[in-house]
């Protein structure tokens, strides 16, 4: 048997190649709805050639075959075939040349994907991965989930960005099963080889559920069984009923989940569009994988009855002629004819349920983040009303509708990576065209907060509400997605642009600290506005905060000298070390009697300890600052020398003071500490910065 066939692309050639595989009835294949859709889809992508690979072993079908089909008397075996599609002219000689040359394949740029042909008489479309339409994922208004599928064709390495699709075989799977299967393929944390076959998904779904039967064929799965299948995969699922959900809220949820890399399993009732009005057909399940939010909004879904990346637009289902469904919306499936023209609506979906598979650590569903961001925007409007009626009449006009947001689920490593690469803008341009420069002090404060966030500890998964003021990034609100509804879930408020965020956060801070807020806003089960306002409240400064800003944040000594530790690694202790926490009546001369003035080799070492004490001691036997502190973290440190007219301190400590940006300020504060503790020697202590003013040399 020949290993492959190559021919020009066309509906008839696809149908005949399928027939060539297993001898299925040609007319049935030619009229098959999925073949129609896949043909038109590939035609839009510019397909020119198709290659049929005989005797391909597909892992998914192999599992299904071993569970059910192997016991069929008329079983056609476990081997499948596979079709590959290209946007260039391909013939046998080209394939032979590529195989013989051993060079990098020229076929990758023209590769459009593949379709597995199962040895089944009717439901033969197996795992199918086709390149998505151009234009998707190239703008912020069109986005679809995809992953990279590696393909090996006779040793030729190819790849395609897609999400796997297949039709249900009506024996080992139902539409819900194939929806789960495609959804698992869209979750990038799951390795492709770890995704179970449809028969295994069905078995997982129907076992351990009351009233289930663990036998094949399987007709359909309930929502409870779908969730059971996700449980087995170690996923958490969030279920939503859509009976009273508004169209805008549904689209907003789809956008947020898809932007978070999360596919959705949508339960619908299917209605056929007929002249006498919509006619209900059956319940159905599809996988939502993308959206288009520009112009006529749409979603992209895998529908096993039709094909991959099917476009569905929103339609007013109430006008379709069903009185009991008035004021409801639906999703109209969009199809093209063989000439690429859009066909009239033939089916409408009435959404009924939404199942969201997420990582098992994600406890809070999307609505908590959306409700919180909605509440923040609403409270900003309330603050505007108060400002405009009290002080500034123009504020409401200038800022009304200026605050918008987007929501997505992100891992903290991704968030920190993005924040680390983030720079602060030097100016802000409002809707009126006015450009406002951003002060250096604001940028310095932003950098301090950035460092504090990057070095902080946070939960792995965060809902990120990114707020825009007058269409420019302003700030982000992080909500701990692993928290509980009753928790204090707002992890952080990240400033992206100081000027853009202040018109929003400044009045919110005032409100957060007011008694009026405490009387009006209480914690809610599905809203973390209270937690957000608490996060805005100025934190009480503690001793460590004061010490950090006055004497520098804690530093560990950079290294140890051999003279500073024993052979067993134990740190040597400086026996002359003394710690001063409060003022003393002793003078420096009394404490360090015998220290000669002007002797370069005679000096005392000092450091501000982690709890704020002043450590002082002689450098004995080359035991430096680490022996003074006991190798503990400390703050600014240096030397104390005696001069002819008093005492001079510096910050010469390569182990502690070397990398402070504000070293001069910290040394000045340390000087005041010396003067406060040794108050009788106050007028005799200075730093090198004081020398010119005192006329010293």
């Amino acid at each position: 048997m020949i290993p492959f066939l190559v021919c020009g692309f066309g509906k008839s050639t696809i149908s005949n190649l399928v027939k060539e595989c297993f001898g299925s009835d040609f007319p049935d294949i030619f009229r098959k709805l999925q073949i129609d859709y896949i043909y038109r889809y590939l035609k839009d992508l510019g397909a020119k050639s198709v290659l049929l690979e005989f005797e391909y072993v597909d892992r998914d079908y192999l599992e299904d075959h071993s569970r059910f089909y192997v016991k069929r008397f008329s079983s056609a075996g476990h081997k499948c075939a596979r079709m590959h599609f290209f946007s260039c002219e391909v013939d046998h000689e080209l394939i032979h040349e590529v195989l013989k040359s051993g060079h990098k394949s020229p076929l990758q740029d023209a590769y459009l994907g593949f379709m597995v042909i199962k040895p089944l008489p009717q439901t033969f479309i197996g795992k199918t991965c086709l390149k998505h339409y151009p234009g998707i994922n190239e703008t912020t208004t069109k986005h679809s989930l995809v992953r990279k599928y590696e393909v090996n064709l006779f040793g030729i390495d190819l790849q395609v960005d897609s999400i796997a699709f297949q039709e249900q075989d009506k024996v080992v799977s139902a539409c819900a099963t194939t929806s789960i299967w495609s959804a698992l393929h869209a979750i990038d944390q799951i390795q492709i080889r770890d995704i179970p076959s449809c028969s295994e998904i069905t078995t997982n779904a129907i076992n351990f559920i009351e009233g289930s039967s663990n036998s094949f064929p399987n007709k359909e799965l309930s929502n409870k069984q779908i969730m059971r299948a996700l449980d087995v995969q170690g996923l958490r699922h969030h279920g939503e009923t859509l009976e009273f959900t508004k169209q805008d809220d549904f689209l907003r949820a789809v956008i947020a989940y898809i932007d978070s890399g999360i596919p959705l399993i949508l339960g619908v009732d299917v209605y056929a569009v007929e002249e006498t009005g919509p006619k209900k057909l059956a319940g159905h399940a599809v996988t939502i994988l993308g959206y288009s939010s520009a112009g006529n909004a749409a979603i992209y879904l895998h529908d096993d009855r039709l094909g991959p990346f099917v476009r569905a637009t929103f339609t007013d289902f109430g006008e379709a002629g069903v009185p009991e469904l008035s004021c409801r919306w639906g999703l109209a499936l969009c199809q093209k004819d063989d000439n690429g023209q859009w066909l009239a609506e033939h089916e409408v979906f009435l959404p009924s349920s939404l199942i969201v598979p997420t990582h098992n650590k994600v406890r809070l569903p999307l609505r908590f983040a959306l409700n919180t961001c909605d509440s923040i925007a609403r409270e900003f409007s309330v603050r505007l009303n108060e400002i405009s009626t009290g002080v500034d009449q123009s504020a409401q006009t200038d800022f009304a509708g200026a605050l918008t947001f987007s929501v997505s689920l992100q891992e903290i490593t991704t968030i920190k990576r993005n924040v680390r690469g983030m720079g602060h803008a030097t100016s802000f341009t409002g809707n009126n065209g006015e450009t406002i420069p951003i002060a250096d002090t604001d940028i310095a404060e932003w950098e301090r907060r950035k460092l504090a966030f990057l070095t902080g500890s946070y939960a792995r998964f965060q809902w990120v509400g990114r707020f825009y003021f007058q269409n420019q990034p302003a700030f982000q609100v992080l909500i701990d997605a692993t928290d509980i509804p009753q928790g204090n879930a707002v992890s952080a408020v990240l400033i992206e642009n100081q000027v853009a965020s202040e018109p929003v956060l400044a009045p919110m801070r005032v409100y957060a600290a007011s008694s009026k807020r405490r009387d009006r806003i209480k914690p809610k089960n599905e809203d973390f506005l209270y937690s957000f306002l608490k996060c805005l409240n100025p934190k009480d400064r503690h001793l460590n905060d004061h010490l950090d800003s006055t004497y520098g944040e804690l530093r560990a000594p950079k290294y140890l000298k051999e003279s500073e530790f024993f052979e067993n690694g134990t740190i040597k202790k400086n026996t002359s070390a003394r710690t001063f926490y409060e003022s003393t009546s002793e003078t420096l001369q009394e404490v360090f009697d015998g220290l000669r003035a002007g002797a370069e080799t005679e000096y005392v070492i000092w450091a501000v300890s982690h709890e704020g004490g002043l450590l002082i001691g002689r450098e004995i036997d080359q035991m430096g600052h680490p022996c003074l502190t006991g190798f503990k973290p400390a703050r600014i440190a240096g030397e104390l020398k005696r001069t002819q007219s008093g005492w001079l301190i510096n910050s010469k400590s390569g182990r502690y003071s070397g990398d402070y940006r504000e070293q001069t300020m910290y040394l000045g504060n340390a000087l005041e500490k010396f003067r406060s503790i040794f108050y009788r020697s106050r007028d005799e202590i200075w730093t090198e910065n004081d020398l010119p003013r005192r006329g010293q040399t």
Side-chain angles (χ1 to χ4, degrees):
M1 182 178 180
I2 55 176
F4 67 93
L5 291 174
V6 181
C7 60
F9 175 78
K11 189 195 299 186
S12 60
T13 56
I14 294 176
S15 301
N16 274 299
L17 286 175
V18 173
K19 180 182 177 183
E20 190 67 26
C21 293
F22 306 110
S24 298
D25 189 31
F26 170 72
D28 289 339
I29 297 171
F30 192 82
R31 290 192 296 266
K32 191 175 177 67
L33 189 60
Q34 290 94 334
I35 291 294
D36 272 347
Y37 179 88
I38 290 173
Y39 162 71
R40 293 160 183 169
Y41 185 95
L42 287 165
K43 184 179 179 182
D44 278 352
L45 294 181
K48 293 183 179 179
S49 304
V50 55
L51 182 150
L52 176 64
E53 175 187 3
F54 289 102
E55 294 193 348
Y56 174 72
V57 177
D58 178 67
R59 184 183 66 86
D60 288 279
Y61 182 72
L62 194 61
E63 286 284 338
D64 296 343
H65 182 269
S66 65
R67 289 175 183 269
F68 179 77
Y69 294 111
V70 70
K71 297 179 181 180
R72 287 177 63 212
F73 178 77
S74 58
S75 174
H78 68 280
K79 291 185 179 180
C80 301
R82 186 167 59 165
M83 287 186 186
H84 303 267
F85 306 98
F86 300 91
S87 61
C88 68
E89 300 291 344
V90 176
D91 55 28
H92 285 76
E93 189 59 30
L94 175 61
I95 299 298
H96 289 158
E97 285 300 320
V98 172
L99 293 175
K100 288 188 295 184
S101 68
H103 297 154
K104 184 177 179 181
S105 169
L107 299 174
Q108 175 58 57
D109 292 341
Y111 192 56
L112 301 178
F114 64 87
M115 177 172 68
V116 171
I117 310 299
K118 297 187 288 188
L120 300 177
Q122 295 181 20
T123 55
F124 55 78
I125 299 178
K127 182 178 181 180
T128 300
C129 296
L130 303 180
K131 183 179 178 181
H132 61 71
Y133 274 120
I136 296 180
N137 295 340
E138 293 180 1
T139 67
T140 57
T141 59
K142 275 188 178 182
H143 181 46
S144 176
L145 303 181
V146 292
R147 73 185 306 166
K148 194 176 300 296
Y149 290 86
E150 304 288 344
V151 180
N152 188 281
L153 175 62
F154 310 132
I156 303 171
D157 289 324
L158 300 169
Q159 59 186 31
V160 60
D161 291 335
S162 184
I163 294 297
F165 161 86
Q166 67 172 310
E167 67 172 323
Q168 61 160 312
D169 63 11
K170 301 179 182 177
V171 174
V172 299
S173 69
C175 59
T177 301
T178 53
S179 295
I180 296 169
W181 183 80
S182 288
L184 295 178
H185 272 269
I187 300 174
D188 59 8
Q189 297 100 326
I190 303 177
Q191 297 297 316
I192 293 175
R193 289 189 173 275
D194 295 334
I195 298 172
S197 67
C198 284
S199 60
E200 186 177 353
I201 291 173
T202 301
T203 301
N204 293 337
I206 62 181
N207 281 339
F208 311 110
I209 297 295
E210 185 178 354
S212 295
S213 171
N214 61 351
S215 61
F216 297 119
N218 183 259
K219 182 179 179 182
E220 60 184 19
L221 299 181
S222 66
N223 280 356
K224 189 174 182 181
Q225 290 171 329
I226 293 174
M227 293 178 183
R228 170 58 187 166
L230 297 175
D231 284 337
V232 174
Q233 295 305 308
L235 297 171
R236 186 178 293 273
H237 43 74
H238 304 288
E240 305 281 350
T241 57
L242 302 177
E243 185 177 0
F244 301 106
T245 302
K246 296 179 181 178
Q247 174 183 317
D248 290 344
D249 292 338
F250 173 78
L251 178 60
R252 187 169 67 161
V254 168
I255 291 173
Y257 279 121
I258 296 301
D259 286 349
S260 304
I262 300 173
L264 307 168
I265 299 172
L266 178 66
V268 300
D269 291 321
V270 183
Y271 284 78
V273 178
E274 299 181 352
E275 292 183 1
T276 57
K279 177 183 177 182
K280 186 173 181 178
L281 300 179
H284 190 42
V286 295
T287 311
I288 299 178
L289 296 171
Y291 68 85
S292 173
S293 60
N296 188 17
I299 64 172
Y300 297 98
L301 47 87
H302 276 18
D303 183 348
D304 73 279
R305 304 168 312 131
L306 191 57
F309 300 112
V310 177
R311 190 171 187 265
T313 57
F314 291 89
T315 184
D316 188 343
F317 209 35
E319 296 179 357
V322 183
E324 64 269 23
L325 297 176
S326 60
C327 300
R328 290 298 308 271
W329 54 273
L331 294 166
L333 294 185
C334 302
Q335 290 193 66
K336 293 182 178 180
D337 60 21
D338 288 351
N339 297 317
Q341 301 300 311
W342 289 109
L343 298 170
E345 294 179 4
H346 74 288
E347 279 187 354
V348 177
F349 289 165
L350 178 64
S352 58
S353 65
L354 195 67
I355 297 177
V356 185
T358 65
H359 192 282
N360 59 9
K361 291 184 179 293
V362 179
R363 295 179 180 176
L364 295 178
L366 171 66
R367 67 177 182 274
F368 285 82
L370 288 176
N371 289 348
T372 302
C373 293
D374 277 334
S375 296
I376 292 172
R378 184 172 57 251
E379 284 302 317
F380 175 61
S381 297
V382 173
R383 305 282 74 76
L384 280 183
N385 288 331
E386 293 177 352
I387 294 172
S388 62
T389 55
V391 181
D392 187 356
Q393 296 291 332
S394 64
Q396 190 172 17
T397 302
D398 292 344
F399 296 157
L403 186 65
T404 58
F405 65 85
S406 62
V407 176
S408 63
L409 181 69
Q410 299 180 33
E411 292 195 43
I412 191 63
T413 52
T414 301
I415 297 171
K416 287 191 174 185
R417 189 179 301 115
N418 293 337
V419 170
R420 181 172 172 269
M422 186 188 300
H424 198 295
T426 57
S427 64
F428 170 78
T429 303
N431 288 344
N432 58 4
E434 179 186 3
T435 299
I436 304 172
I438 298 176
D440 292 341
T441 53
D442 288 336
I443 296 178
E445 173 64 13
W446 175 83
E447 289 179 342
R448 185 191 68 78
R449 292 182 179 179
K450 174 180 175 179
L451 288 174
F453 170 74
L454 291 175
T455 55
S457 178
Y458 303 91
R460 176 180 173 184
F461 292 98
Q462 302 280 336
W463 287 111
V464 180
R466 192 181 190 195
F467 284 82
Y468 302 82
F469 184 72
Q470 295 186 342
N471 299 316
Q472 297 192 49
F475 61 93
Q476 298 179 25
V477 178
L478 270 57
I479 299 172
D480 180 0
T482 69
D483 208 336
I484 58 175
Q486 300 80 17
N488 185 30
V490 174
S491 305
V493 177
L494 301 177
I495 306 298
E496 290 195 58
N497 186 303
Q498 196 79 11
V499 173
S501 61
E502 275 306 292
V504 180
L505 296 183
M508 300 287 268
R509 289 192 195 98
V510 174
Y511 180 59
S514 69
S515 58
K516 183 177 180 181
R517 187 272 302 172
R518 290 189 290 272
D519 293 338
R520 194 172 79 82
I521 297 182
K522 304 296 182 183
K524 297 180 182 178
N525 285 342
E526 296 190 355
D527 184 333
F528 295 113
L529 176 64
Y530 184 84
S531 178
F532 168 74
L533 293 174
K534 283 183 63 177
C535 196
L536 289 184
N537 260 327
K539 302 293 187 297
D540 294 333
R541 280 179 60 84
H542 298 287
L543 175 61
N544 284 338
D545 299 318
H546 166 73
L547 295 176
D548 286 349
S549 61
T550 306
Y551 306 111
E553 295 178 344
L554 289 172
R555 297 286 191 268
K558 284 189 174 182
Y559 57 89
L560 284 173
K561 299 176 182 178
E562 289 188 11
S563 57
E564 295 173 333
F565 58 89
F566 297 105
E567 291 183 358
N568 63 0
T570 304
I571 303 297
K572 294 180 180 179
K573 183 174 178 58
N574 190 325
T575 56
S576 70
R578 292 183 60 181
T579 304
F580 295 89
Y581 293 102
E582 298 177 351
S583 59
T584 176
S585 60
E586 295 178 282
T587 65
L588 280 174
Q589 184 173 350
E590 291 171 348
V591 174
F592 297 108
D593 183 35
L595 197 65
R596 294 180 301 161
E600 286 295 323
T601 58
E602 294 189 22
Y603 54 85
V604 174
I605 55 177
W606 64 271
V608 178
S609 68
H610 65 281
E611 76 273 29
L614 181 61
L615 298 170
I616 305 179
R618 296 177 183 269
E619 186 168 359
I620 303 172
D621 298 329
Q622 295 185 329
M623 289 190 293
H625 288 93
C627 296
L628 185 70
T629 65
F631 199 70
K632 288 183 171 56
R635 306 177 190 278
I636 192 75
E639 302 169 338
L640 172 69
K641 296 182 178 181
R642 187 171 182 179
T643 69
Q644 297 295 334
S645 57
W647 302 83
L648 180 69
I649 68 169
N650 61 42
S651 56
K652 293 181 180 179
S653 172
R655 256 80 76 78
Y656 284 105
S657 303
D659 64 348
Y660 284 129
R661 296 178 62 180
E662 304 293 337
Q663 188 176 137
T664 301
M665 181 186 74
Y666 298 151
L667 179 60
N669 294 333
L671 172 63
E672 292 305 315
K673 192 174 191 69
F674 267 93
R675 289 174 173 174
S676 174
I677 291 175
F678 300 102
Y679 63 91
R680 291 177 59 193
S681 304
R682 179 180 184 85
D683 295 335
E684 301 174 1
I685 313 172
W686 61 86
T687 69
E688 292 178 347
N689 295 329
D690 296 315
L691 293 179
R693 294 197 301 271
R694 298 175 59 92
Q696 301 293 323
T697 59

